[in-house]
Amino acid sequence: MSCEYNVIPGSVVVIPGIRFTVEVTGPVKALPRPLFVCRIVNGVEKKWIVNKAKDDQRKLRQVIEQSLPPDIKGRMIFLPGTPLMLKAKFFHERHKNHFVGGKRDVTMLKGEYKNGMQSFMIQKPDVDNCVKFIMDFPLEGLVYENDSAIISISAEKHWDDVGECFGRTVIEIVPSYIELG
């Protein structure tokens, strides 16, 4: 199943070499690992890797790229070799049973889901797979040269608590010498 992503207006902060922040609607549908495919073609065994998340990663990259200020487009935000810190918050789509009467509205959340520990999402997808989903294709060559520049990661998974609770992702990247907020 494919995702639709949109950048939340006013959420993009780009200060070249200093900060990149974006908030995107649409849940990260991270798959746990690439799929290895083996087939016999003309009597010879062939193996290759299929990334089932690639289409969603491509869509995420496109909406982030389109949201960048015109003077930034075509340039990476951070210089190659800059050690970077990544902070990500993944807000996943809530199930209908989280709402009174199944009505999708944050004001209709059942009591046990309003706040506290129920805001954390303790189920699949795993947080490391969500991070890998955004680090690879969506940000490489756009924000930084290669994801090997990321030396520190802070990531959290929550149930979405805004609007109809369909999911969103907040990404913040700064050089390692700047404190993340």
Side-chain angles (χ1 to χ4, degrees), residues 3-9 11-12 22-27 59-60 62-64 66-67 167-169:
C3 267
E4 292 301 320
Y5 297 104
N6 292 296
V7 170
I8 295 175
S11 74
V12 178
V22 66
E23 186 169 354
V24 180
T25 61
K59 287 177 185 178
L60 180 58
Q62 286 172 345
V63 300
I64 291 172
Q66 291 167 359
S67 72
R168 58 196 167 88
T169 301

Side-chain angles (χ1 to χ4, degrees), residues 78-98:
F78 297 101
L79 293 173
T82 304
L84 302 171
M85 296 187 306
L86 176 129
K87 181 178 181 181
K89 285 191 177 184
F90 302 97
F91 297 90
H92 290 272
E93 179 177 354
R94 285 189 180 267
H95 300 295
K96 275 192 156 186
N97 68 355
H98 288 201

Side-chain angles (χ1 to χ4, degrees), residues 125-167:
D126 298 342
V127 72
D128 59 322
N129 294 325
C130 295
V131 169
K132 197 69 179 152
F133 178 91
I134 64 169
M135 282 179 62
D136 284 342
F137 183 72
L139 299 177
E140 271 191 359
L142 186 63
V143 176
Y144 44 74
E145 183 177 45
N146 187 281
D147 63 3
S148 63
I150 304 292
I151 63 163
S152 177
I153 296 171
S154 171
E156 299 175 3
K157 290 187 319 179
H158 297 270
W159 291 110
D160 197 358
D161 58 357
V162 173
E164 294 180 357
C165 304
F166 281 118

